[in-house]
């Protein structure tokens, strides 16, 4: 419609210009008729309205879409079982002392000997394989591969006399006497003291076969009912 109006306006403007320019009436009439003919032809054409493009909807291919799966239920958490306790590492220098242990003790520089029998619990006790000094050392520990000089122990030593047992007495600190204790049928004196940075409980007495036995305990509980107490109560002499 706007285009028709513009054409009509142009035709009228041309007629006015021609009239002013002195054109003949016939020429003006021709121009007007031509302009009107163009207007009628354009008016006869149907107006084309602009079409608004509708965005195409995405096609859904039902066959191509995977079927929805039900949500997987969480699996119950497995309860971790405690790992089995590993056996302690073997150490040939400190074999197991479980059960009965028989050791012949020797008093250095003399002919005095003493056959010692002592029974240890089935687990957790080890002994020194070295008997160069004619003694017996027992160690309660969970790891026999790491036994050091300051570790808990019970030591059985046979000496030639009481003077040898008291050889380092002047170095003892905080000495306290204990009530005598009968071990292996022999009544033995007792004392506690500190020596070389370790606390000791010691029982000592003269043996019927000769020599003096010293039992030194460090870091081992020997109260009634404890493993240390059971070890001392198991002692016999052969």
């Amino acid at each position: 419609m706007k285009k028709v109006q513009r054409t009509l306006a142009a035709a009228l403007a041309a007629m006015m210009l021609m009239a002013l320019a002195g054109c003949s009436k016939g020429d003006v009439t021709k121009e007007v008729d031509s302009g009107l003919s163009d207007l009628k032809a354009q008016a006869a054409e149907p107006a084309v309205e602009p079409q608004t493009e509708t965005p195409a909807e995405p096609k859904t291919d039902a066959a191509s879409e995977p079927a929805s799966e039900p949500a997987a239920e969480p699996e119950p958490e497995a309860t971790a079982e405690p790992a089995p306790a590993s056996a302690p590492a073997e150490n040939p220098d400190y074999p197991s002392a479980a059960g009965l242990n028989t050791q012949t003790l020797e008093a250095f520089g003399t002919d005095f000997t003493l056959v010692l029998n002592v029974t240890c619990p089935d687990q957790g006790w080890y002994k020194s394989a070295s008997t160069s000094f004619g003694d017996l050392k027992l160690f309660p520990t969970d790891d026999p591969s790491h036994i050091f000089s300051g570790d808990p122990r019970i030591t059985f030593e046979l000496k030639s006399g009481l003077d040898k047992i008291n050889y380092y007495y002047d170095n003892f600190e905080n000495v306290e006497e204990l009530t005598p204790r009968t071990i292996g049928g022999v009544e033995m004196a007792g004392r506690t003291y500190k020596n070389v940075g370790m606390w000791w409980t010691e029982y000592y007495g003269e043996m019927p076969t000769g020599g003096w036995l010293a039992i030194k305990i460090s870091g081992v509980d020997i109260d009634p009912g404890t493993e240390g107490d059971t070890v001392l109560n198991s002692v016999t002499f052969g």
Side-chain angles (χ1 to χ4, degrees):
M1 188 67 182
K2 290 181 179 181
K3 186 176 181 180
V4 173
Q5 292 176 351
R6 286 197 299 268
T7 304
L8 180 59
L12 294 175
M15 292 171 62
M16 293 177 66
L17 290 174
M18 293 174 66
L20 293 175
C23 293
S24 64
K25 181 179 180 182
D27 293 336
V28 173
T29 302
K30 290 180 181 180
E31 290 296 332
V32 172
D33 291 340
S34 176
L36 291 174
S37 297
D38 291 340
L39 291 176
K40 290 179 180 180
Q42 293 179 6
E45 296 179 358
V48 180
E49 296 183 0
Q51 297 181 354
T52 303
E53 295 185 359
T54 303
E57 296 183 359
K59 296 183 179 180
T60 302
D61 190 352
S64 63
E65 293 185 357
S68 59
E69 298 180 357
E73 296 183 359
E75 296 181 359
E77 295 183 0
T79 303
E81 296 182 358
S86 57
E90 294 183 359
N91 186 346
D93 294 330
Y94 297 96
S96 173
L100 177 63
N101 299 270
T102 299
Q103 175 72 37
T104 299
L105 307 181
E106 302 176 3
F108 181 76
T110 72
D111 295 331
F112 298 142
T113 61
L114 177 67
V115 177
L116 171 71
N117 302 302
V118 56
T119 302
C120 292
D122 292 337
Q123 294 181 343
W125 285 76
Y126 300 85
K127 59 186 177 182
S128 175
S130 174
T131 58
S132 57
F133 295 101
D135 57 6
L136 176 65
K137 294 185 177 71
L138 301 176
F139 300 90
T141 180
D142 294 330
D143 187 2
S145 64
H146 295 85
I147 294 179
F148 302 99
S149 59
D151 287 356
R153 68 190 60 206
I154 299 178
T155 301
F156 299 85
E157 298 175 338
L158 186 65
K159 302 293 185 180
S160 59
L162 180 60
D163 60 327
K164 297 298 183 182
I165 289 179
N166 288 331
Y167 189 81
Y168 296 103
Y169 184 85
D170 291 341
N171 296 326
F172 294 169
E173 302 176 38
N174 304 318
V175 179
E176 292 186 12
E177 302 298 324
L178 298 177
T179 302
R181 176 169 182 161
T182 299
I183 299 176
V186 178
E187 184 177 280
M188 308 181 75
R191 61 189 175 191
T192 61
Y193 56 88
K194 185 178 182 181
N195 187 34
V196 195
M198 297 174 66
W199 283 95
W200 297 89
T201 296
E202 183 180 28
Y203 290 100
Y204 56 96
E206 187 174 9
M207 297 292 102
T209 55
W212 285 67
L213 177 66
I215 304 175
K216 298 179 180 180
I217 304 107
S218 179
V220 180
D221 189 355
I222 59 172
D223 288 340
T226 62
E227 287 190 352
D229 177 60
T230 301
V231 169
L232 294 181
N233 291 338
S234 73
V235 170
T236 61
F237 304 114

